[in-house]
Amino acid sequence: MDLLKLLCFLTSVSLGVAAEHADLEVYWKSKLPNTPMPKAVRDIIQNGKPPGVGGLSASPQAIPFRFGRRYFTYGHGVVRDGKNPTEGQLRNHQNVTVFFLKRDLHGGSIMNLQFVNLLDNTTAFLPRQVADSIPFSSKSVPEILNKFSVNPNSVQAEAIKELIADCEEPGNEVEDKYCATSLESMVDFTTSKLGKNVGAISTEAQKTDPKILKYVIVDVFKLNDDDKAIVACHKQNYVYAVFYCHTLRRTDAYRVNLVGADDGAKVKAVVVCHEDTSAWDPKHVAFQLLKVKPGNVPICHFLPEDHFVSWALKH
Protein backbone atom coordinates (compact mmCIF):
# COMPACT_ATOMS: atom_id res chain seq x y z
CA MET A 1 0.00 0.00 0.00
CA ASP A 2 1.53 3.35 -0.96
CA LEU A 3 1.76 6.18 1.56
CA LEU A 4 -1.22 8.15 0.20
CA LYS A 5 -3.53 5.13 0.35
CA LEU A 6 -2.29 4.27 3.83
CA LEU A 7 -2.93 7.78 5.09
CA CYS A 8 -6.42 7.82 3.56
CA PHE A 9 -7.22 4.48 5.16
CA LEU A 10 -5.94 5.50 8.58
CA THR A 11 -7.71 8.85 8.38
CA SER A 12 -11.04 7.17 7.62
CA VAL A 13 -10.50 4.74 10.49
CA SER A 14 -9.59 7.58 12.87
CA LEU A 15 -12.73 9.52 11.96
CA GLY A 16 -14.81 6.39 12.46
CA VAL A 17 -13.26 5.79 15.87
CA ALA A 18 -13.89 9.37 16.98
CA ALA A 19 -17.50 9.34 15.83
CA GLU A 20 -18.17 5.99 17.42
CA HIS A 21 -17.24 6.71 21.05
CA ALA A 22 -20.75 7.70 22.12
CA ASP A 23 -22.24 4.86 20.09
CA LEU A 24 -20.05 2.33 21.90
CA GLU A 25 -21.28 3.56 25.27
CA VAL A 26 -24.87 3.37 24.05
CA TYR A 27 -24.32 -0.18 22.78
CA TRP A 28 -22.85 -1.26 26.11
CA LYS A 29 -25.81 0.19 28.02
CA SER A 30 -28.34 -1.38 25.67
CA LYS A 31 -26.86 -4.85 26.14
CA LEU A 32 -25.68 -4.56 29.74
CA PRO A 33 -28.10 -2.08 31.33
CA ASN A 34 -27.16 -3.00 34.91
CA THR A 35 -23.41 -3.08 34.37
CA PRO A 36 -21.14 -0.05 34.71
CA MET A 37 -18.20 -0.20 32.31
CA PRO A 38 -15.01 -1.48 33.94
CA LYS A 39 -12.12 0.97 33.79
CA ALA A 40 -10.24 -1.27 31.35
CA VAL A 41 -12.99 -0.72 28.77
CA ARG A 42 -13.86 2.87 29.66
CA ASP A 43 -10.27 4.06 29.29
CA ILE A 44 -9.92 2.55 25.83
CA ILE A 45 -13.12 4.22 24.65
CA GLN A 46 -12.07 7.58 26.04
CA ASN A 47 -8.33 7.56 25.36
CA GLY A 48 -7.53 4.79 22.88
CA LYS A 49 -5.22 5.76 20.04
CA PRO A 50 -6.39 5.12 16.46
CA PRO A 51 -4.27 2.58 14.57
CA GLY A 52 -1.35 4.01 12.70
CA VAL A 53 2.12 3.27 11.47
CA GLY A 54 3.98 1.48 14.26
CA GLY A 55 0.78 1.08 16.26
CA LEU A 56 2.01 -2.15 17.83
CA SER A 57 4.42 -2.17 20.73
CA ALA A 58 7.87 -3.28 19.65
CA SER A 59 7.99 -5.67 22.59
CA PRO A 60 5.73 -6.82 25.42
CA GLN A 61 5.32 -4.43 28.31
CA ALA A 62 8.43 -4.59 30.47
CA ILE A 63 6.74 -5.53 33.69
CA PRO A 64 7.69 -8.45 35.92
CA PHE A 65 4.59 -10.49 35.28
CA ARG A 66 1.77 -10.29 32.81
CA PHE A 67 -1.05 -12.81 32.61
CA GLY A 68 -3.04 -12.65 29.43
CA ARG A 69 -4.38 -15.34 27.18
CA ARG A 70 -1.37 -17.66 26.92
CA TYR A 71 1.54 -15.35 27.62
CA PHE A 72 3.51 -14.74 30.78
CA THR A 73 5.93 -11.86 30.40
CA TYR A 74 9.14 -11.68 32.40
CA GLY A 75 10.75 -8.34 31.57
CA HIS A 76 11.16 -8.64 27.80
CA GLY A 77 10.97 -12.45 27.67
CA VAL A 78 7.76 -14.32 27.00
CA VAL A 79 7.00 -17.76 28.39
CA ARG A 80 4.25 -19.32 26.32
CA ASP A 81 1.49 -21.03 28.30
CA GLY A 82 3.45 -20.46 31.50
CA LYS A 83 5.67 -23.43 30.63
CA ASN A 84 9.40 -23.90 30.75
CA PRO A 85 10.62 -20.67 32.34
CA THR A 86 14.38 -20.42 32.67
CA GLU A 87 16.12 -20.57 36.03
CA GLY A 88 16.94 -16.90 35.68
CA GLN A 89 13.31 -15.98 35.07
CA LEU A 90 12.20 -17.95 38.10
CA ARG A 91 14.96 -16.44 40.24
CA ASN A 92 13.99 -12.92 39.18
CA HIS A 93 10.43 -13.51 40.33
CA GLN A 94 10.95 -14.87 43.76
CA ASN A 95 10.35 -11.34 45.05
CA VAL A 96 7.06 -10.67 43.27
CA THR A 97 3.70 -12.32 43.90
CA VAL A 98 3.09 -13.91 40.52
CA PHE A 99 0.89 -16.80 41.61
CA PHE A 100 -0.22 -17.56 45.14
CA LEU A 101 -2.28 -20.18 46.95
CA LYS A 102 -5.90 -19.51 47.75
CA ARG A 103 -5.26 -20.03 51.44
CA ASP A 104 -3.29 -16.76 51.37
CA LEU A 105 -6.23 -14.76 49.99
CA HIS A 106 -7.40 -13.06 53.18
CA GLY A 107 -7.14 -9.82 55.09
CA GLY A 108 -3.67 -9.14 56.43
CA SER A 109 -1.78 -11.05 53.75
CA ILE A 110 1.20 -9.16 52.32
CA MET A 111 1.79 -9.28 48.55
CA ASN A 112 4.75 -7.96 46.55
CA LEU A 113 3.08 -6.39 43.52
CA GLN A 114 3.55 -3.88 40.75
CA PHE A 115 0.79 -1.76 39.21
CA VAL A 116 1.67 0.12 36.05
CA ASN A 117 -0.46 2.19 33.68
CA LEU A 118 -1.07 -0.13 30.73
CA LEU A 119 -3.82 1.97 29.17
CA ASP A 120 -2.07 5.29 28.52
CA ASN A 121 -0.89 4.40 25.04
CA THR A 122 -3.28 1.63 24.06
CA THR A 123 -5.00 1.25 20.70
CA ALA A 124 -8.67 2.13 20.30
CA PHE A 125 -11.68 -0.01 19.51
CA LEU A 126 -12.72 0.05 15.89
CA PRO A 127 -16.43 0.27 15.12
CA ARG A 128 -17.69 -3.24 14.43
CA GLN A 129 -18.48 -2.41 10.80
CA VAL A 130 -14.89 -1.28 10.25
CA ALA A 131 -13.34 -4.16 12.22
CA ASP A 132 -15.42 -6.72 10.33
CA SER A 133 -14.19 -5.29 7.02
CA ILE A 134 -10.55 -5.92 7.93
CA PRO A 135 -9.24 -9.49 7.51
CA PHE A 136 -8.30 -11.33 10.70
CA SER A 137 -6.93 -14.72 9.68
CA SER A 138 -3.58 -16.40 9.21
CA LYS A 139 -4.00 -16.59 5.46
CA SER A 140 -4.56 -12.83 5.37
CA VAL A 141 -1.52 -11.84 7.44
CA PRO A 142 0.36 -10.39 4.42
CA GLU A 143 -2.67 -8.23 3.62
CA ILE A 144 -2.95 -7.09 7.25
CA LEU A 145 0.74 -6.18 7.40
CA ASN A 146 0.44 -4.25 4.15
CA LYS A 147 -2.73 -2.45 5.22
CA PHE A 148 -1.13 -1.18 8.43
CA SER A 149 2.34 -0.72 6.93
CA VAL A 150 4.02 -3.22 9.26
CA ASN A 151 7.40 -4.59 8.23
CA PRO A 152 6.94 -8.35 7.59
CA ASN A 153 10.30 -9.04 9.28
CA SER A 154 9.58 -7.00 12.40
CA VAL A 155 8.72 -7.97 15.97
CA GLN A 156 5.33 -6.35 15.40
CA ALA A 157 4.63 -8.65 12.44
CA GLU A 158 5.52 -11.69 14.51
CA ALA A 159 3.16 -10.53 17.28
CA ILE A 160 0.34 -10.22 14.74
CA LYS A 161 0.99 -13.71 13.37
CA GLU A 162 1.12 -15.31 16.81
CA LEU A 163 -2.02 -13.60 18.07
CA ILE A 164 -4.08 -14.58 15.04
CA ALA A 165 -2.78 -18.16 15.18
CA ASP A 166 -3.76 -18.38 18.85
CA CYS A 167 -7.19 -16.97 18.08
CA GLU A 168 -7.74 -19.61 15.40
CA GLU A 169 -7.00 -22.52 17.71
CA PRO A 170 -10.22 -24.31 18.70
CA GLY A 171 -11.54 -24.21 22.22
CA ASN A 172 -11.93 -27.32 24.32
CA GLU A 173 -14.53 -29.03 26.44
CA VAL A 174 -13.92 -26.73 29.41
CA GLU A 175 -13.37 -23.42 27.65
CA ASP A 176 -15.35 -21.37 25.14
CA LYS A 177 -13.01 -18.85 23.58
CA TYR A 178 -13.35 -15.89 21.27
CA CYS A 179 -11.11 -13.11 19.98
CA ALA A 180 -13.21 -9.95 19.93
CA THR A 181 -12.09 -7.39 17.36
CA SER A 182 -14.67 -4.82 18.45
CA LEU A 183 -16.40 -3.78 21.65
CA GLU A 184 -19.74 -4.88 20.23
CA SER A 185 -18.54 -8.41 19.51
CA MET A 186 -16.95 -8.61 22.96
CA VAL A 187 -20.22 -7.60 24.62
CA ASP A 188 -22.17 -10.06 22.49
CA PHE A 189 -19.86 -12.94 23.46
CA THR A 190 -20.21 -12.07 27.15
CA THR A 191 -24.00 -11.85 27.09
CA SER A 192 -24.26 -15.09 25.10
CA LYS A 193 -22.52 -16.86 27.98
CA LEU A 194 -23.82 -14.98 31.01
CA GLY A 195 -27.00 -13.15 29.98
CA LYS A 196 -27.61 -9.42 30.42
CA ASN A 197 -27.65 -9.31 34.21
CA VAL A 198 -23.92 -9.38 34.83
CA GLY A 199 -21.20 -7.61 36.77
CA ALA A 200 -17.89 -6.55 35.28
CA ILE A 201 -14.75 -5.31 36.99
CA SER A 202 -11.10 -4.56 36.28
CA THR A 203 -8.16 -3.71 38.49
CA GLU A 204 -7.90 -0.02 39.46
CA ALA A 205 -4.82 1.38 41.17
CA GLN A 206 -4.86 4.79 42.88
CA LYS A 207 -1.18 5.20 42.01
CA THR A 208 1.02 3.43 39.48
CA ASP A 209 4.71 2.79 40.01
CA PRO A 210 7.31 0.83 38.03
CA LYS A 211 8.77 -0.56 41.26
CA ILE A 212 7.62 -3.71 43.02
CA LEU A 213 6.02 -2.63 46.29
CA LYS A 214 4.46 -4.31 49.31
CA TYR A 215 0.67 -4.26 49.54
CA VAL A 216 -1.53 -5.50 52.35
CA ILE A 217 -4.90 -7.13 51.66
CA VAL A 218 -7.61 -5.18 53.48
CA ASP A 219 -10.61 -7.31 52.55
CA VAL A 220 -11.82 -9.80 49.96
CA PHE A 221 -15.21 -10.06 48.23
CA LYS A 222 -16.33 -13.11 46.24
CA LEU A 223 -18.01 -12.14 42.96
CA ASN A 224 -19.42 -15.27 41.28
CA ASP A 225 -21.44 -18.17 42.62
CA ASP A 226 -19.42 -21.35 43.14
CA ASP A 227 -21.10 -23.24 40.32
CA LYS A 228 -21.19 -20.37 37.81
CA ALA A 229 -18.67 -19.73 35.05
CA ILE A 230 -17.02 -16.36 34.57
CA VAL A 231 -15.86 -14.65 31.39
CA ALA A 232 -12.37 -13.18 31.39
CA CYS A 233 -11.25 -10.79 28.64
CA HIS A 234 -7.59 -9.95 28.11
CA LYS A 235 -6.34 -6.99 26.05
CA GLN A 236 -3.93 -8.07 23.33
CA ASN A 237 -1.03 -6.31 21.62
CA TYR A 238 -2.48 -5.48 18.19
CA VAL A 239 -2.87 -2.56 15.79
CA TYR A 240 -6.36 -1.90 17.15
CA ALA A 241 -8.14 -3.09 20.29
CA VAL A 242 -8.54 -6.87 20.34
CA PHE A 243 -9.54 -8.82 23.45
CA TYR A 244 -9.10 -12.54 23.95
CA CYS A 245 -12.21 -13.62 25.89
CA HIS A 246 -12.94 -17.03 27.33
CA THR A 247 -15.20 -18.74 29.80
CA LEU A 248 -13.62 -20.14 32.94
CA ARG A 249 -15.29 -22.90 34.89
CA ARG A 250 -14.33 -24.05 38.37
CA THR A 251 -12.77 -20.61 38.74
CA ASP A 252 -13.65 -18.02 41.36
CA ALA A 253 -13.36 -14.26 40.88
CA TYR A 254 -12.75 -11.81 43.71
CA ARG A 255 -12.53 -8.09 44.31
CA VAL A 256 -9.60 -7.52 46.61
CA ASN A 257 -8.96 -4.19 48.32
CA LEU A 258 -5.27 -3.53 48.89
CA VAL A 259 -3.32 -0.74 50.55
CA GLY A 260 0.34 0.12 50.04
CA ALA A 261 2.36 -0.87 53.08
CA ASP A 262 4.59 2.22 52.77
CA ASP A 263 2.48 4.96 51.19
CA GLY A 264 -1.11 3.87 51.87
CA ALA A 265 -2.01 3.92 48.15
CA LYS A 266 -5.26 2.06 47.54
CA VAL A 267 -5.88 -0.57 44.88
CA LYS A 268 -9.14 -2.26 43.91
CA ALA A 269 -7.73 -5.41 42.38
CA VAL A 270 -9.23 -8.39 40.59
CA VAL A 271 -8.08 -11.87 41.56
CA VAL A 272 -9.06 -15.15 39.95
CA CYS A 273 -8.52 -18.50 41.63
CA HIS A 274 -8.40 -21.70 39.59
CA GLU A 275 -9.92 -24.44 41.72
CA ASP A 276 -8.82 -27.40 39.59
CA THR A 277 -5.29 -27.42 38.16
CA SER A 278 -5.13 -31.15 37.43
CA ALA A 279 -5.11 -30.57 33.66
CA TRP A 280 -2.31 -27.98 33.76
CA ASP A 281 1.11 -28.86 32.41
CA PRO A 282 3.32 -30.19 35.26
CA LYS A 283 6.04 -27.74 34.13
CA HIS A 284 3.73 -24.75 34.43
CA VAL A 285 5.47 -21.81 36.06
CA ALA A 286 2.87 -21.69 38.84
CA PHE A 287 3.89 -25.11 40.15
CA GLN A 288 7.56 -24.22 40.03
CA LEU A 289 7.07 -20.95 41.88
CA LEU A 290 4.72 -22.37 44.51
CA LYS A 291 6.39 -25.78 44.85
CA VAL A 292 3.11 -27.65 44.39
CA LYS A 293 1.88 -30.27 41.93
CA PRO A 294 -1.11 -30.35 39.58
CA GLY A 295 -4.34 -31.19 41.33
CA ASN A 296 -7.02 -29.67 43.46
CA VAL A 297 -4.78 -27.06 45.07
CA PRO A 298 -6.45 -23.74 44.16
CA ILE A 299 -3.98 -21.32 42.55
CA CYS A 300 -4.69 -17.60 42.30
CA HIS A 301 -3.29 -14.58 40.49
CA PHE A 302 -4.06 -10.89 40.06
CA LEU A 303 -5.30 -9.46 36.75
CA PRO A 304 -3.46 -6.53 35.14
CA GLU A 305 -5.29 -3.25 34.64
CA ASP A 306 -6.18 -3.88 30.97
CA HIS A 307 -8.04 -7.14 31.65
CA PHE A 308 -11.49 -7.61 33.16
CA VAL A 309 -13.85 -10.31 34.33
CA SER A 310 -17.63 -10.64 34.08
CA TRP A 311 -19.97 -12.85 36.08
CA ALA A 312 -23.71 -13.51 36.30
CA LEU A 313 -25.38 -11.52 39.06
CA LYS A 314 -27.77 -13.18 41.46
CA HIS A 315 -31.42 -12.62 40.67
Side-chain angles (χ1 to χ4, degrees):
M1 178 181 290
D2 60 38
L3 181 59
L4 180 59
K5 289 182 178 179
L6 174 64
L7 291 175
C8 289
F9 169 73
L10 295 177
T11 298
S12 65
V13 168
S14 298
L15 291 174
V17 169
E20 195 77 6
H21 286 178
D23 291 340
L24 293 180
E25 294 180 359
V26 169
Y27 191 86
W28 179 283
K29 290 179 181 178
S30 70
K31 296 292 185 177
L32 297 168
N34 303 318
T35 311
M37 266 188 196
K39 188 175 186 295
V41 176
R42 189 173 67 249
D43 281 2
I44 294 174
I45 290 178
Q46 295 175 350
N47 305 314
K49 307 298 189 296
V53 178
L56 271 170
S57 300
S59 62
Q61 287 88 342
I63 59 178
F65 173 73
R66 177 173 175 79
F67 175 86
R69 175 49 180 128
R70 301 171 60 181
Y71 297 98
F72 297 80
T73 301
Y74 296 82
H76 289 286
V78 179
V79 181
R80 187 180 176 88
D81 290 321
K83 301 175 188 174
N84 303 319
T86 67
E87 289 184 10
Q89 289 166 338
L90 288 172
R91 186 169 56 252
N92 290 339
H93 291 80
Q94 296 302 317
N95 296 322
V96 61
T97 305
V98 179
F99 291 94
F100 60 96
L101 298 176
K102 190 175 182 179
R103 68 188 183 207
D104 296 322
L105 185 63
H106 58 78
S109 282
I110 297 175
M111 304 279 179
N112 295 326
L113 301 167
Q114 180 194 44
F115 296 99
V116 297
N117 193 338
L118 299 172
L119 294 163
D120 254 359
N121 197 36
T122 192
T123 48
F125 287 109
L126 294 185
R128 174 151 57 183
Q129 185 176 1
V130 175
D132 288 350
S133 71
I134 300 173
F136 191 81
S137 67
S138 292
K139 67 180 181 181
S140 299
V141 164
E143 181 181 350
I144 297 168
L145 301 182
N146 181 55
K147 184 179 288 290
F148 290 100
S149 193
V150 177
N151 185 334
N153 299 315
S154 65
V155 174
Q156 293 94 330
E158 189 61 30
I160 287 174
K161 294 174 187 176
E162 290 186 0
L163 171 60
I164 292 175
D166 283 342
C167 288
E168 290 176 336
E169 288 187 8
N172 54 45
E173 64 276 5
V174 297
E175 176 192 58
D176 299 318
K177 48 163 283 196
Y178 179 68
C179 282
T181 58
S182 66
L183 177 137
E184 296 96 328
S185 61
M186 182 170 67
V187 169
D188 288 354
F189 176 81
T190 301
T191 56
S192 72
K193 304 303 176 185
L194 302 177
K196 287 191 173 186
N197 189 32
V198 307
I201 190 173
S202 59
T203 294
E204 297 185 33
Q206 185 180 42
K207 186 178 79 172
T208 57
D209 196 309
K211 298 188 295 294
I212 298 169
L213 301 173
K214 288 187 180 298
Y215 290 86
V216 180
I217 293 180
V218 178
D219 45 31
V220 178
F221 299 93
K222 178 83 176 299
L223 297 175
N224 62 313
D225 289 340
D226 289 337
D227 60 340
K228 301 295 184 183
I230 64 172
V231 172
C233 291
H234 313 288
K235 178 73 164 57
Q236 302 298 301
N237 188 27
Y238 200 66
V239 289
Y240 51 88
V242 171
F243 276 78
Y244 172 82
C245 297
H246 56 140
T247 57
L248 292 168
R249 297 174 177 83
R250 298 205 64 186
T251 300
D252 293 329
Y254 298 87
R255 189 189 80 202
V256 179
N257 291 320
L258 302 162
V259 63
D262 297 324
D263 59 7
K266 296 179 180 179
V267 180
K268 181 179 70 176
V270 179
V271 167
V272 294
C273 293
H274 303 274
E275 295 294 319
D276 184 4
T277 61
S278 58
W280 290 19
D281 189 285
K283 294 182 179 180
H284 195 286
V285 63
F287 303 132
Q288 298 189 55
L289 288 172
L290 297 175
K291 309 300 183 186
V292 297
K293 296 180 179 180
N296 293 318
V297 179
I299 292 178
C300 307
H301 59 83
F302 288 85
L303 287 189
E305 295 91 314
D306 56 351
H307 299 190
F308 71 97
V309 297
S310 303
W311 68 97
L313 296 172
K314 296 177 182 179
H315 294 287

